[in-house]
Amino acid sequence: MPSTDQTPTVTAQMRIRKPVHEVFNAFIDPEITRNFWFTKGSGKLEAGKIIVWEWEMYNVSTEVHIEEIKPDEEIVISWGEPATKVVFSFQSLSDNSTYVSITNTGFSQQGSELWAVINDSTGGFTTVLDGAKAWLEFNINLNLIADKFPKEVSDHGA
């Protein structure tokens, strides 16, 4: 029987060919994360803390509430206005391979606004994982976040 659960959920996933601890740490430490996601973070992720992530090219920042951290396994945050929950899951596939899954839930929008936020979240987290893979596997910053909405064609974050 098909599921009757209509809870809007966004999931993005990617294999990254690096050890789970290295991949997990890349999402915990803003000095690493800034190479593939935001441009500035106010601190390392620690359970119970509130930190700020900034995307300076868009003049945008957001508070991130770190709800839970299971080392090398999971990071749970809430962020945004209205707040949604994001779960980053890390699964070791081998000594040198990690499967990362990002799940975003708790959307309060309805109708076309819900579709727009789901589309933005899906594309955003997919881009983050693509950038993380390039950085961690090849030490290449692809500038994916900055190039997704160049100021010449978009007012994203304005």
Side-chain angles (χ1 to χ4, degrees):
M1 181 188 287
S3 171
T4 58
D5 183 9
Q6 298 295 315
T7 304
T9 302
V10 167
T11 303
Q13 59 280 323
M14 178 69 66
R15 175 197 298 253
I16 298 177
R17 288 179 172 81
K18 288 292 179 178
V20 70
H21 181 72
E22 187 175 336
V23 177
F24 179 84
N25 190 54
F27 284 84
I28 292 288
D29 185 347
E31 289 304 309
I32 301 169
T33 318
R34 68 182 184 83
N35 292 293
F36 60 86
W37 194 356
F38 47 78
T39 55
K40 190 185 294 183
S42 65
K44 288 186 178 184
L45 303 188
E46 295 178 35
K49 281 187 131 181
I50 298 172
I51 55 120
V52 176
W53 288 342
E54 295 180 48
W55 291 265
E56 296 165 302
M57 66 289 228
Y58 301 128
N59 196 31
V60 170
S61 65
T62 191
E63 280 190 353
V64 180
H65 299 251
I66 296 79
E67 296 180 12
E68 186 177 359
I69 293 182
K70 295 178 186 170
D72 298 342
E73 292 179 24
E74 188 175 79
I75 301 166
V76 181
I77 67 167
S78 59
W79 73 336
E81 194 57 46
T84 63
K85 181 178 181 176
V86 182
V87 178
F88 301 81
S89 299
F90 304 84
Q91 179 183 354
S92 179
L93 302 178
S94 68
D95 287 347
N96 201 40
S97 182
T98 303
Y99 191 70
V100 182
S101 178
I102 303 174
T103 304
N104 192 188
T105 59
F107 302 102
S108 62
Q109 296 84 352
Q110 305 264 327
S112 62
E113 287 182 357
L114 177 60
W115 282 109
V117 75
I118 285 174
N119 185 50
D120 189 50
S121 183
T122 302
F125 286 125
T126 299
T127 301
V128 167
L129 288 173
D130 294 345
K133 181 176 182 70
W135 178 256
L136 293 169
E137 288 185 16
F138 303 103
N139 202 34
I140 298 171
N141 182 336
L142 295 175
N143 295 308
L144 294 175
I145 302 299
D147 291 347
K148 191 167 183 100
F149 302 106
K151 64 182 178 182
E152 295 87 354
V153 297
S154 176
D155 62 356
H156 188 79

